[in-house]
Amino acid sequence: MAAPSQHKLTVEIHRTGGPVRYEIPLRDNQTVLDAVTEVQRRFAPDLAYRFACRVGVCGSCAMSVNGIPRWTCRTHVAKVVVDGAISVAPLRNLPVIKDLVCDMASFFEKWTDAEHGAGAVFDGKATRHDPLPAIDPESPRRKAVDAGIECINCAVCYAACDVVAWDQGYLGPAALNRAWTLANDDRAANADAVKAKAQGVGGCGSCHSHGACVAACPVGLNPTQSIAGLKRRSLFELLRGSGS
């Protein structure tokens, strides 16, 4: 087999009908999103994929690159190319609408958990007419919130999670990370309900602590740590209850 050209890039895209290979120029500072966009413009105008900001803010360009979920706008081809080729596929653990576009509904439904009415939605204790609550930024509870609050719902951790692949009833790392922030937020009126849901069936007890979500998170969050916090609190509450 001939060696791959140093000036060409083979992009294998897992489309709805199966994988298709395209050859495009290999460019300096080329991102995976750049490569997918060039394929769409030159060869496949009907290729479906998502992107918006292109600068690592929105997270909408998340795809699987060589089997690993990533933000494609922040993934440079030079760092992932193997023998002159890259493979791009839709995110794992989500239904595919077309080509590289996934249906995010199940991910967001788990995030809000609207069906059970106790999902990861902030419900404040105060109204707009009440004075702002005084929150000590150095308190342990506030620091626990700050450690996980930067999630932007890109679903990269959800796609990386093996437990989600095994059990579609599992809430997943993003939803449980959000539950941990609410459980520690002194301003939240629904913290107990959120915590109860997170500690129930499909909640924190299902996590195997593999840490794939931590390795994949593009903004450096640690959902495994948040889930471990929910597990500890569940155990402490169980022990307190058994001793009462």
Side-chain angles (χ1 to χ4, degrees):
M1 181 181 295
S5 169
Q6 295 181 351
H7 305 290
K8 296 291 184 180
L9 174 68
T10 299
V11 184
E12 181 181 73
I13 297 181
H14 290 252
R15 304 197 61 180
T16 301
V20 181
R21 291 193 163 202
Y22 305 92
E23 192 174 82
I24 62 172
L26 182 62
R27 306 180 189 279
D28 292 337
N29 299 317
Q30 187 178 32
T31 66
V32 174
L33 181 58
D34 291 336
V36 171
T37 299
E38 185 158 358
V39 166
Q40 188 268 338
R41 291 177 177 175
R42 295 183 61 181
F43 304 112
D46 60 339
L47 176 63
Y49 65 108
R50 287 194 181 108
F51 71 94
C53 73
R54 301 180 69 95
V55 292
V57 174
C58 70
S60 61
C61 69
M63 306 171 202
S64 291
V65 181
N66 297 347
I68 299 174
R70 300 174 180 271
W71 288 356
T72 54
C73 74
R74 284 194 356 191
T75 302
H76 283 82
V77 168
K79 294 184 178 181
V80 294
V81 64
V82 178
D83 294 332
I86 59 172
S87 174
V88 185
L91 290 178
R92 190 175 66 140
N93 298 334
L94 291 163
V96 176
I97 297 174
K98 182 185 177 185
D99 298 335
L100 302 173
V101 177
C102 293
D103 185 347
M104 301 281 286
S106 59
F107 171 78
F108 288 117
E109 284 168 3
K110 289 179 180 180
W111 175 277
T112 60
D113 200 16
E115 181 178 350
H116 297 84
V121 177
F122 179 81
D123 181 14
K125 296 176 181 177
T127 70
R128 68 179 61 190
H129 305 294
D130 296 320
L132 294 174
I135 303 296
D136 181 3
E138 297 302 316
S139 69
R141 286 172 63 86
R142 186 62 221 178
K143 286 189 174 182
V145 174
D146 291 341
I149 204 169
E150 297 299 326
C151 176
I152 65 169
N153 300 334
C154 68
V156 163
C157 65
Y158 190 85
C161 180
D162 287 332
V163 180
V164 174
W166 303 331
D167 179 10
Q168 285 294 310
Y170 177 48
L171 290 175
L176 290 172
N177 177 75
R178 176 60 172 164
W180 175 244
T181 66
L182 290 177
N184 288 284
D185 195 329
D186 292 328
R187 303 167 302 164
N190 63 332
D192 288 341
V194 170
K195 185 172 59 178
K197 177 61 183 175
Q199 294 169 346
V201 176
C204 61
S206 297
C207 175
H208 289 201
S209 302
H210 288 172
C213 55
V214 183
C217 180
V219 294
L221 300 187
N222 191 333
T224 299
Q225 180 175 307
S226 299
I227 295 169
L230 290 167
K231 290 179 179 179
R232 287 194 302 271
R233 189 161 299 177
S234 177
L235 178 60
F236 293 156
E237 291 172 357
L238 177 64
L239 293 175
R240 281 201 300 266
S242 64
S244 61

